[in-house]
Coordinates of all heavy atoms in Angstrom, one line a residue:
V1334 N -14.3 3.8 11.1 CA -14.4 5.1 10.3 C -15.1 4.8 9.0 O -16.0 5.5 8.5 CB -13.1 5.8 10.1 CG1 -13.2 6.9 9.1 CG2 -12.4 6.2 11.4
I1335 N -14.7 3.6 8.3 CA -15.2 3.3 7.1 C -15.6 1.8 7.1 O -14.7 0.9 7.5 CB -14.2 3.5 6.0 CG1 -13.9 5.0 5.8 CG2 -14.7 2.9 4.6 CD1 -12.8 5.3 4.8
P1336 N -16.8 1.3 6.7 CA -17.2 -0.1 6.7 C -16.6 -0.7 5.4 O -17.3 -0.9 4.4 CB -18.7 0.0 6.7 CG -19.0 1.3 6.0 CD -17.9 2.2 6.4
F1337 N -15.3 -1.1 5.4 CA -14.7 -1.6 4.3 C -15.3 -3.0 3.9 O -15.6 -3.8 4.7 CB -13.2 -1.9 4.6 CG -12.4 -0.6 4.7 CD1 -12.0 -0.2 6.0 CD2 -12.1 0.2 3.6 CE1 -11.3 1.0 6.2 CE2 -11.3 1.4 3.8 CZ -10.9 1.8 5.1
T1338 N -15.5 -3.2 2.6 CA -16.1 -4.4 2.1 C -14.9 -5.4 1.6 O -15.2 -6.6 1.4 CB -17.0 -4.1 0.9 OG1 -16.3 -3.5 -0.1 CG2 -18.2 -3.3 1.3
Q1339 N -13.7 -4.8 1.5 CA -12.6 -5.7 1.1 C -11.4 -5.2 1.8 O -11.0 -4.0 1.8 CB -12.4 -5.6 -0.4 CG -11.2 -6.5 -0.9 CD -11.0 -6.3 -2.4 OE1 -11.9 -6.7 -3.2 NE2 -9.8 -5.9 -2.9
V1340 N -10.6 -6.2 2.3 CA -9.3 -5.9 3.0 C -8.3 -6.8 2.6 O -8.5 -8.1 2.6 CB -9.5 -6.0 4.5 CG1 -8.2 -5.6 5.3 CG2 -10.6 -5.1 5.1
T1341 N -7.1 -6.3 2.1 CA -6.0 -7.1 1.7 C -4.8 -6.8 2.6 O -4.6 -5.8 3.1 CB -5.7 -6.8 0.3 OG1 -5.4 -5.4 0.1 CG2 -6.8 -7.3 -0.7
V1342 N -3.9 -7.9 2.7 CA -2.8 -7.7 3.6 C -1.6 -8.3 2.9 O -1.6 -9.4 2.2 CB -2.9 -8.6 4.9 CG1 -1.7 -8.5 5.8 CG2 -4.2 -8.0 5.7
W1343 N -0.5 -7.6 2.8 CA 0.8 -8.1 2.4 C 1.8 -8.0 3.4 O 1.9 -7.0 4.2 CB 1.2 -7.3 1.1 CG 2.6 -7.5 0.7 CD1 3.0 -8.5 -0.2 CD2 3.8 -6.9 1.1 NE1 4.3 -8.5 -0.4 CE2 4.9 -7.6 0.4 CE3 4.1 -5.9 1.9 CZ2 6.2 -7.2 0.6 CZ3 5.4 -5.5 2.1 CH2 6.5 -6.1 1.4
S1344 N 2.8 -8.9 3.4 CA 3.9 -8.9 4.2 C 5.1 -9.5 3.5 O 4.9 -10.4 2.6 CB 3.7 -9.6 5.5 OG 4.9 -9.6 6.3
R1345 N 6.4 -9.2 3.8 CA 7.5 -9.8 3.2 C 7.4 -11.3 3.4 O 7.8 -12.1 2.5 CB 8.8 -9.3 3.7 CG 9.0 -7.9 3.3 CD 10.5 -7.4 3.7 NE 10.7 -6.0 3.5 CZ 11.0 -5.5 2.3 NH1 11.1 -6.3 1.2 NH2 11.3 -4.2 2.1
S1346 N 6.8 -11.8 4.5 CA 6.6 -13.1 4.7 C 5.1 -13.5 4.4 O 4.3 -13.0 5.1 CB 6.9 -13.5 6.2 OG 6.4 -14.7 6.6
F1347 N 4.9 -14.3 3.4 CA 3.5 -14.6 3.1 C 2.8 -15.4 4.2 O 1.7 -15.2 4.4 CB 3.5 -15.5 1.8 CG 2.1 -15.7 1.3 CD1 1.3 -14.6 0.8 CD2 1.6 -16.9 1.2 CE1 0.0 -14.8 0.4 CE2 0.3 -17.2 0.7 CZ -0.5 -16.1 0.3
A1348 N 3.6 -16.2 5.0 CA 3.1 -16.9 6.1 C 2.5 -15.8 7.1 O 1.4 -16.0 7.7 CB 4.0 -17.8 6.7
S1349 N 3.2 -14.8 7.4 CA 2.8 -13.7 8.3 C 1.5 -13.1 7.8 O 0.6 -12.7 8.5 CB 3.9 -12.7 8.5 OG 5.0 -13.3 9.1
A1350 N 1.5 -12.8 6.4 CA 0.4 -12.1 5.9 C -0.9 -13.0 6.0 O -2.0 -12.5 6.2 CB 0.7 -11.8 4.3
E1351 N -0.7 -14.3 5.8 CA -1.8 -15.3 5.8 C -2.4 -15.3 7.2 O -3.6 -15.3 7.5 CB -1.3 -16.6 5.4 CG -1.3 -16.8 3.9 CD -0.9 -18.3 3.5 OE1 0.1 -18.8 4.1 OE2 -1.6 -18.8 2.7
L1352 N -1.5 -15.3 8.3 CA -1.9 -15.4 9.6 C -2.7 -14.1 10.0 O -3.8 -14.2 10.6 CB -0.7 -15.5 10.6 CG -0.9 -15.5 12.1 CD1 -1.9 -16.7 12.5 CD2 0.4 -15.5 12.9
C1353 N -2.1 -13.0 9.7 CA -2.8 -11.7 10.0 C -4.1 -11.6 9.2 O -5.2 -11.3 9.9 CB -1.9 -10.5 9.5 SG -2.6 -8.9 9.9
A1354 N -4.1 -12.0 7.9 CA -5.4 -11.9 7.1 C -6.5 -12.9 7.8 O -7.7 -12.6 7.8 CB -5.2 -12.3 5.8
S1355 N -6.0 -14.1 8.2 CA -7.0 -15.0 8.8 C -7.6 -14.4 10.1 O -8.8 -14.7 10.4 CB -6.3 -16.3 9.1 OG -5.4 -16.2 10.1
E1356 N -6.9 -13.7 10.8 CA -7.3 -13.1 12.1 C -8.4 -12.0 11.8 O -9.3 -11.8 12.5 CB -6.2 -12.5 12.9 CG -5.2 -13.6 13.5 CD -4.1 -13.0 14.3 OE1 -4.2 -11.7 14.5 OE2 -3.1 -13.7 14.6
L1357 N -8.1 -11.2 10.7 CA -8.9 -10.0 10.4 C -10.1 -10.3 9.4 O -10.8 -9.4 9.1 CB -8.0 -8.9 9.8 CG -6.8 -8.5 10.6 CD1 -6.0 -7.4 9.9 CD2 -7.2 -8.1 12.0
G1358 N -10.1 -11.6 8.8 CA -11.1 -11.8 7.8 C -10.8 -11.1 6.5 O -11.6 -10.7 5.8
A1359 N -9.5 -11.1 6.3 CA -9.0 -10.3 5.1 C -8.4 -11.4 4.1 O -8.4 -12.6 4.4 CB -7.9 -9.3 5.5
M1360 N -7.8 -10.8 3.0 CA -7.2 -11.7 2.0 C -5.7 -11.4 1.9 O -5.3 -10.3 1.8 CB -7.8 -11.4 0.6 CG -7.1 -12.3 -0.5 SD -8.0 -11.9 -2.1 CE -7.5 -10.2 -2.4
A1361 N -4.9 -12.5 2.1 CA -3.5 -12.3 2.0 C -3.0 -12.2 0.5 O -3.6 -13.0 -0.3 CB -2.7 -13.5 2.7
C1362 N -2.0 -11.4 0.2 CA -1.5 -11.2 -1.2 C -0.1 -11.5 -1.3 O 0.7 -11.3 -0.3 CB -1.8 -9.7 -1.7 SG -3.6 -9.3 -1.8
Q1363 N 0.4 -12.0 -2.4 CA 1.7 -12.4 -2.7 C 2.6 -11.2 -2.9 O 3.8 -11.2 -2.7 CB 1.8 -13.4 -3.8 CG 1.2 -14.7 -3.5 CD 2.1 -15.7 -2.8 OE1 3.3 -15.3 -2.4 NE2 1.7 -16.9 -2.6
S1364 N 2.0 -10.1 -3.5 CA 2.8 -8.9 -3.9 C 2.2 -7.6 -3.4 O 0.9 -7.7 -3.2 CB 2.9 -8.9 -5.4 OG 1.7 -8.6 -6.0
V1365 N 2.9 -6.6 -3.3 CA 2.3 -5.3 -2.9 C 1.4 -4.8 -4.0 O 0.3 -4.3 -3.7 CB 3.5 -4.2 -2.7 CG1 2.9 -2.8 -2.4 CG2 4.4 -4.7 -1.5
E1366 N 1.8 -5.0 -5.2 CA 0.9 -4.5 -6.4 C -0.4 -5.2 -6.3 O -1.5 -4.5 -6.5 CB 1.6 -4.9 -7.7 CG 0.8 -4.3 -8.9 CD 1.5 -4.6 -10.2 OE1 2.5 -5.1 -10.2 OE2 0.9 -4.2 -11.3
E1367 N -0.5 -6.4 -6.0 CA -1.7 -7.1 -6.0 C -2.6 -6.6 -4.8 O -3.8 -6.4 -4.9 CB -1.5 -8.6 -5.7 CG -2.7 -9.5 -5.5 CD -2.5 -10.9 -5.1 OE1 -1.3 -11.3 -4.9 OE2 -3.5 -11.7 -4.9
A1368 N -1.9 -6.3 -3.7 CA -2.7 -5.9 -2.5 C -3.3 -4.5 -2.6 O -4.3 -4.2 -2.2 CB -1.7 -5.8 -1.3
V1369 N -2.6 -3.6 -3.4 CA -3.0 -2.1 -3.4 C -3.7 -1.7 -4.7 O -4.2 -0.6 -4.7 CB -1.8 -1.3 -3.2 CG1 -1.0 -1.6 -1.8 CG2 -0.8 -1.2 -4.3
R1370 N -3.7 -2.6 -5.7 CA -4.2 -2.2 -7.0 C -5.5 -1.5 -7.0 O -5.8 -0.5 -7.6 CB -4.2 -3.3 -7.9 CG -4.6 -3.1 -9.3 CD -3.7 -2.1 -10.1 NE -2.4 -2.8 -10.5 CZ -1.5 -2.1 -11.2 NH1 -1.7 -0.8 -11.5 NH2 -0.4 -2.7 -11.5
E1371 N -6.5 -2.1 -6.2 CA -7.9 -1.5 -6.2 C -8.1 -0.8 -4.9 O -9.3 -0.4 -4.6 CB -8.8 -2.7 -6.4 CG -8.7 -3.4 -7.7 CD -9.0 -2.4 -8.9 OE1 -9.8 -1.5 -8.8 OE2 -8.3 -2.6 -10.0
A1372 N -7.2 -0.6 -4.0 CA -7.4 -0.1 -2.7 C -7.7 1.5 -2.7 O -7.1 2.2 -3.4 CB -6.2 -0.3 -1.8
D1373 N -8.7 1.8 -1.9 CA -9.0 3.3 -1.7 C -8.2 3.8 -0.6 O -7.9 5.0 -0.6 CB -10.5 3.4 -1.4 CG -11.4 2.8 -2.5 OD1 -11.3 3.2 -3.6 OD2 -12.1 1.8 -2.1
V1374 N -7.9 3.0 0.4 CA -7.1 3.4 1.6 C -6.0 2.4 1.7 O -6.2 1.2 1.7 CB -7.9 3.4 2.9 CG1 -7.0 3.8 4.0 CG2 -9.1 4.5 2.7
I1375 N -4.8 2.9 1.9 CA -3.6 2.0 2.0 C -2.8 2.4 3.3 O -2.7 3.5 3.6 CB -2.6 2.2 0.8 CG1 -3.3 1.8 -0.5 CG2 -1.4 1.3 1.0 CD1 -2.5 2.2 -1.7
V1376 N -2.4 1.4 4.1 CA -1.7 1.6 5.3 C -0.3 1.0 5.1 O -0.3 -0.3 4.8 CB -2.4 1.0 6.5 CG1 -1.5 1.2 7.8 CG2 -3.8 1.7 6.7
T1377 N 0.8 1.7 5.3 CA 2.1 1.1 5.3 C 2.6 1.0 6.7 O 3.0 2.1 7.3 CB 3.1 1.9 4.4 OG1 3.2 3.3 4.9 CG2 2.5 2.0 3.0
V1378 N 2.7 -0.2 7.2 CA 3.2 -0.4 8.6 C 4.3 -1.4 8.6 O 4.2 -2.5 9.3 CB 2.0 -0.8 9.6 CG1 1.2 0.4 10.0 CG2 1.2 -1.8 8.9
T1379 N 5.3 -1.3 7.7 CA 6.4 -2.3 7.5 C 7.6 -1.9 8.3 O 7.6 -0.7 8.8 CB 6.7 -2.4 6.0 OG1 7.5 -1.3 5.6 CG2 5.5 -2.6 5.2
A1380 N 8.5 -2.7 8.4 CA 9.8 -2.3 8.9 C 10.8 -2.1 7.9 O 12.1 -2.0 8.1 CB 10.3 -3.6 9.8
S1381 N 10.4 -1.9 6.6 CA 11.3 -1.6 5.5 C 12.0 -0.3 5.6 O 11.4 0.7 6.0 CB 10.5 -1.7 4.2 OG 11.4 -1.6 3.1
T1382 N 13.3 -0.3 5.2 CA 14.1 0.9 5.1 C 14.0 1.5 3.7 O 14.7 2.5 3.4 CB 15.4 0.7 5.6 OG1 16.1 -0.3 4.8 CG2 15.5 0.2 7.0
T1383 N 13.5 0.7 2.7 CA 13.5 1.2 1.3 C 12.0 1.1 0.8 O 11.3 0.3 1.3 CB 14.4 0.3 0.5 OG1 14.1 -1.1 0.6 CG2 15.9 0.5 0.9
P1384 N 11.7 1.8 -0.3 CA 10.3 1.9 -0.7 C 9.7 0.5 -1.1 O 10.4 -0.2 -1.8 CB 10.3 2.8 -1.9 CG 11.5 3.7 -1.6 CD 12.5 2.8 -1.0
V1385 N 8.4 0.3 -0.6 CA 7.8 -0.9 -1.0 C 6.5 -0.6 -1.8 O 5.9 -1.4 -2.5 CB 7.3 -1.7 0.2 CG1 8.5 -2.2 1.0 CG2 6.4 -1.0 1.2
L1386 N 6.1 0.7 -1.8 CA 4.9 1.1 -2.4 C 5.2 2.1 -3.5 O 5.9 3.1 -3.3 CB 3.9 1.8 -1.4 CG 2.6 2.4 -1.9 CD1 1.7 1.2 -2.4 CD2 1.8 3.1 -0.8
R1387 N 4.7 1.8 -4.7 CA 5.0 2.7 -5.9 C 3.8 3.4 -6.5 O 2.7 2.8 -6.4 CB 5.7 1.8 -6.9 CG 7.0 1.2 -6.3 CD 8.0 0.7 -7.4 NE 9.2 0.1 -6.7 CZ 10.2 0.9 -6.2 NH1 10.2 2.2 -6.4 NH2 11.2 0.3 -5.7
L1388 N 4.1 4.4 -7.1 CA 3.0 5.3 -7.7 C 2.2 4.6 -8.7 O 0.9 4.7 -8.7 CB 3.6 6.6 -8.3 CG 2.6 7.6 -9.0 CD1 1.6 8.1 -8.0 CD2 3.4 8.6 -9.7
E1389 N 2.8 3.8 -9.6 CA 2.0 3.2 -10.7 C 1.1 2.1 -10.2 O 0.2 1.7 -11.0 CB 3.0 2.6 -11.7 CG 4.0 1.6 -11.1 CD 5.3 2.1 -10.7 OE1 5.4 3.3 -10.3 OE2 6.3 1.3 -10.7
W1390 N 1.2 1.7 -9.0 CA 0.2 0.7 -8.5 C -1.0 1.3 -7.8 O -1.9 0.5 -7.5 CB 0.9 -0.2 -7.5 CG 2.2 -0.9 -8.0 CD1 2.4 -1.2 -9.3 CD2 3.3 -1.4 -7.2 NE1 3.6 -1.8 -9.4 CE2 4.2 -1.9 -8.1 CE3 3.6 -1.4 -5.9 CZ2 5.4 -2.6 -7.7 CZ3 4.8 -1.9 -5.4 CH2 5.7 -2.5 -6.4
V1391 N -1.0 2.6 -7.6 CA -2.0 3.2 -6.7 C -3.0 4.0 -7.4 O -2.7 4.7 -8.4 CB -1.2 4.2 -5.7 CG1 -2.2 4.9 -4.8 CG2 -0.2 3.4 -4.9
K1392 N -4.3 3.9 -7.0 CA -5.4 4.7 -7.6 C -5.1 6.2 -7.5 O -4.5 6.6 -6.5 CB -6.7 4.3 -7.0 CG -7.1 2.9 -7.2 CD -8.3 2.5 -6.4 CE -9.6 3.2 -6.8 NZ -10.8 2.6 -6.2
P1393 N -5.5 7.0 -8.4 CA -5.2 8.4 -8.4 C -5.9 9.2 -7.3 O -5.4 10.3 -7.1 CB -5.7 8.9 -9.8 CG -6.7 7.9 -10.2 CD -6.2 6.6 -9.7
N1394 N -6.8 8.7 -6.6 CA -7.4 9.4 -5.5 C -7.4 8.6 -4.2 O -8.2 8.8 -3.3 CB -8.9 9.8 -5.8 CG -9.8 8.5 -6.0 OD1 -9.3 7.5 -6.2 ND2 -11.1 8.7 -5.7
A1395 N -6.4 7.6 -4.1 CA -6.3 6.8 -2.9 C -5.7 7.7 -1.8 O -5.1 8.7 -2.0 CB -5.4 5.7 -3.2
H1396 N -6.0 7.2 -0.5 CA -5.4 7.8 0.6 C -4.4 6.9 1.2 O -4.8 5.7 1.4 CB -6.5 8.2 1.6 CG -5.9 8.6 3.0 ND1 -5.0 9.8 3.1 CD2 -5.9 8.0 4.2 CE1 -4.6 9.8 4.3 NE2 -5.2 8.8 5.0
I1397 N -3.3 7.3 1.6 CA -2.2 6.4 2.2 C -1.8 7.0 3.6 O -1.6 8.1 3.7 CB -1.0 6.5 1.3 CG1 -1.4 5.9 -0.1 CG2 0.2 5.6 2.0 CD1 -0.3 6.2 -1.2
N1398 N -1.9 6.0 4.5 CA -1.3 6.3 5.9 C 0.0 5.7 5.9 O 0.2 4.4 6.0 CB -2.3 5.7 6.9 CG -3.7 6.4 7.0 OD1 -3.7 7.6 7.1 ND2 -4.7 5.6 6.7
G1399 N 1.1 6.5 5.9 CA 2.5 6.0 6.0 C 2.9 6.1 7.5 O 3.1 7.1 8.0

Side-chain angles (χ1 to χ4, degrees):
V1334 176
I1335 296 175
F1337 294 103
T1338 59
Q1339 177 181 304
V1340 180
T1341 55
V1342 177
W1343 171 86
S1344 174
R1345 290 189 187 279
S1346 163
F1347 186 62
S1349 296
E1351 285 187 308
L1352 176 61
C1353 182
S1355 67
E1356 292 178 12
L1357 306 181
M1360 177 178 70
C1362 295
Q1363 293 276 6
S1364 69
V1365 174
E1366 182 177 1
E1367 179 189 1
V1369 305
R1370 179 66 74 180
E1371 298 299 324
D1373 304 298
V1374 177
I1375 301 168
V1376 177
T1377 62
V1378 282
T1379 74
S1381 181
T1382 60
T1383 56
V1385 297
L1386 181 62
R1387 304 200 175 278
L1388 175 63
E1389 59 265 29
W1390 302 334
V1391 176
K1392 293 171 70 171
N1394 66 336
H1396 169 65
I1397 300 162
N1398 295 302

